[in-house]
Amino acid sequence: MTLDSASSPLGSAPRRSPPRKQAFRLNGMWHDRRARGVVAQVAVISVLLGLGYHVVANAQSALAQRGIETGFGFLFQKAGFAIGESPIPYDASDTYLRAYAVGVLNTLKVSIAAIVLASILGLMIGVARLSSNLIVNRLASAYVELFRNTPQLLQIVFWYILAVALPGPKQAFDLGGLAFLSNRGLSMPGPGENARIWLVAIGLIIAVVLVRMLTRHAARKLRETGTQTPVLVPAVLLLLGCPAVLWLLFGQPADIEIPRLQGFNIRGGLQMSPEFLALFLGLSLYIAAFIAEIVRAGILAVDRGQIEAAEAMGLRHSDVLRRVTLPQALRVIVPPATAQYVSLIKNSSLGVLIGYPELFNLNNTILVSSGNTLEAIAIMMAIYLSITASVALLMNLYNASVQLKER
């Protein structure tokens, strides 16, 4: 007896399931953890945007009922107030937008100057904290303890009181006939009205590029031949020489003025107000104490064996610090130093207490004068966020360039 292959399960051909459709299925998406996460994030963002729109719409409606105009059109209206210190031409007939530009430039001016001084002082004091010289070590430790453990606002007020307590212009401290220090601030040689600062900036940029190429060449030559190439003197000559060459090639357009006492005031040159000096010193000296500790921690993080190996090769202590210790310590130093730079920029708003016309101070005047409180606060927040985010981005890029890479 034979079995019918068509009716027998053993002889029948296996049934094929119908092909799955590639269409998007909600059921499958719901069981996907990543898809659920995306849906949840979109839902949360949508709720937050809706709440924000509701709050802003209600605020605009309430202001409109009281006859208060909203929007950013006020930026193009006449400001109607003067600013005591401005790096660009400004008077009361200019717009609120130009007043904001003055505030941003003043904030950047004091912040950048303070970052430079804080970085230099922090590096020097951090290295001094590790010195075997007892006097140097104790002085550096005293600086860190003093400036780190006193409120920054107190330090700013102290420097301002000290600055305004200086003698008047006629009894000003004469610093070699080139600079004067008085209760009007610090007067020092600077560019005149017809100076072309952009030529000096171009010269410095060219010099920095050449110095970078020189240091790379010296490092490559040291690796390949073991011969040290002097770098410091050529670098200084390049930094001074490139701007000087451009100054000579373009007919000496940079008019440098020397401050002179005229009447009851010191005129000419570069003028730094007491408010600027107080805020500059308060920011830089305070942050330098924190950077010094960051530098010290970064140096201590370097393996002691590498330092001993470099000293065994006959390198001087300064060469070991510059070529072995600091390059490796930078990967530890840069991230926390970035946080200190961002903190310094934000703390420049403390200048409002001593009357320095930085962004926060001018924004208070603008929101009172214009009545656009919400818009003024939003503009100030956006500016501070843009500045600090830009600094953090640049420092992160630099941090990525100094990290040790495996080959």
Side-chain angles (χ1 to χ4, degrees):
M1 181 178 181
T2 61
L3 297 175
D4 187 1
S5 61
S7 61
S8 173
L10 297 176
S12 61
R15 296 182 179 180
R16 294 182 180 180
S17 58
R20 294 183 177 180
K21 296 182 179 180
Q22 301 298 325
F24 182 75
R25 294 184 177 180
L26 292 177
N27 189 26
M29 182 196 71
W30 184 251
H31 291 288
D32 187 352
R33 180 180 298 178
R34 182 179 299 179
R36 291 200 309 270
V38 171
V39 172
Q41 293 178 30
V42 171
V44 171
I45 293 174
S46 301
V47 171
L48 292 177
L49 290 177
L51 289 175
Y53 176 79
H54 179 69
V55 170
V56 172
N58 284 345
Q60 288 181 341
S61 176
L63 292 173
Q65 291 177 3
R66 290 167 174 79
I68 301 176
E69 296 182 0
T70 59
F72 296 94
F74 77 98
L75 292 173
F76 304 98
Q77 299 175 2
K78 185 173 70 172
F81 59 87
I83 300 176
E85 185 174 348
S86 175
I88 58 175
Y90 174 86
D91 56 45
S93 61
D94 287 324
T95 62
Y96 288 115
L97 184 61
R98 192 168 184 84
Y100 270 116
V102 173
V104 172
L105 292 177
N106 281 337
T107 296
L108 291 176
K109 180 175 68 173
V110 70
S111 299
I112 293 173
I115 285 174
V116 173
L117 181 59
S119 301
I120 296 174
L121 284 178
L123 177 61
M124 295 173 59
I125 296 169
V127 174
R129 287 266 282 162
L130 300 172
S131 174
S132 58
N133 189 308
L134 183 62
I135 296 177
V136 174
N137 187 295
R138 291 295 181 266
L139 288 176
S141 301
Y143 175 91
V144 171
E145 296 300 326
L146 174 63
F147 285 92
R148 191 178 60 170
N149 296 312
T150 53
Q152 188 174 20
L153 186 58
L154 176 63
Q155 297 181 31
I156 294 174
V157 173
F158 169 78
W159 291 116
Y160 180 69
I161 294 175
L162 184 63
V164 297
L166 292 172
K170 285 194 172 184
Q171 294 80 31
F173 294 105
D174 189 348
L175 307 179
L178 296 177
F180 298 91
L181 183 62
S182 67
N183 58 6
R184 302 290 179 87
L186 177 63
S187 303
M188 54 191 302
E193 296 181 356
N194 298 324
R196 300 180 185 176
I197 303 300
W198 58 272
L199 286 175
V200 179
I202 293 176
L204 287 176
I205 293 174
I206 295 174
V208 169
V209 173
L210 294 177
V211 168
R212 181 64 176 170
M213 295 172 61
L214 177 64
T215 54
R216 286 187 174 183
H217 172 73
R220 184 172 62 253
K221 187 175 181 181
L222 180 63
R223 289 194 305 267
E224 295 176 354
T225 64
T227 304
Q228 293 187 6
T229 304
V231 175
L232 180 60
V233 175
V236 173
L237 293 177
L238 285 172
L239 291 173
L240 297 177
C242 288
V245 169
L246 289 179
W247 182 69
L248 293 173
L249 289 177
F250 288 89
Q252 305 178 6
D255 183 17
I256 304 299
E257 293 182 352
I258 306 298
R260 290 288 183 266
L261 178 62
Q262 296 180 1
F264 296 97
N265 200 359
I266 299 174
R267 304 186 183 279
L270 183 62
Q271 304 290 333
M272 298 183 183
S273 66
E275 293 80 11
F276 174 85
L277 289 176
L279 185 59
F280 166 66
L281 292 175
L283 292 174
S284 57
L285 297 181
Y286 178 80
I287 296 297
F290 290 89
I291 294 180
E293 289 298 277
I294 293 172
V295 170
R296 184 173 72 93
I299 293 176
L300 291 176
V302 178
D303 186 26
R304 181 64 188 174
Q306 299 190 31
I307 300 176
E308 294 176 351
E311 293 175 347
M313 294 174 59
L315 293 177
R316 295 175 297 180
H317 181 69
S318 59
D319 291 332
V320 173
L321 181 65
R322 182 166 56 91
R323 298 181 181 277
V324 178
T325 308
L326 285 180
Q328 298 185 69
L330 280 176
R331 68 183 190 272
V332 180
I333 293 173
V334 172
T338 302
Q340 294 300 324
Y341 293 157
V342 171
S343 176
L344 186 150
I345 294 172
K346 293 185 294 185
N347 290 342
S348 66
S349 59
L350 295 175
V352 66
L353 185 65
I354 58 175
Y356 180 71
E358 42 75 41
L359 176 61
F360 186 80
N361 192 356
L362 290 180
N363 189 76
N364 288 343
T365 305
I366 291 173
L367 66 87
V368 171
S369 175
S370 65
N372 296 75
T373 305
L374 295 178
E375 293 84 350
I377 294 177
I379 291 173
M380 181 180 62
M381 292 175 61
I383 293 174
Y384 274 120
L385 180 62
S386 301
I387 295 175
T388 54
S390 299
V391 171
L393 176 61
L394 292 176
M395 292 300 295
N396 287 336
L397 293 176
Y398 177 74
N399 184 39
S401 66
V402 298
Q403 291 296 314
L404 297 179
K405 301 178 177 62
E406 296 183 359
R407 296 183 178 179

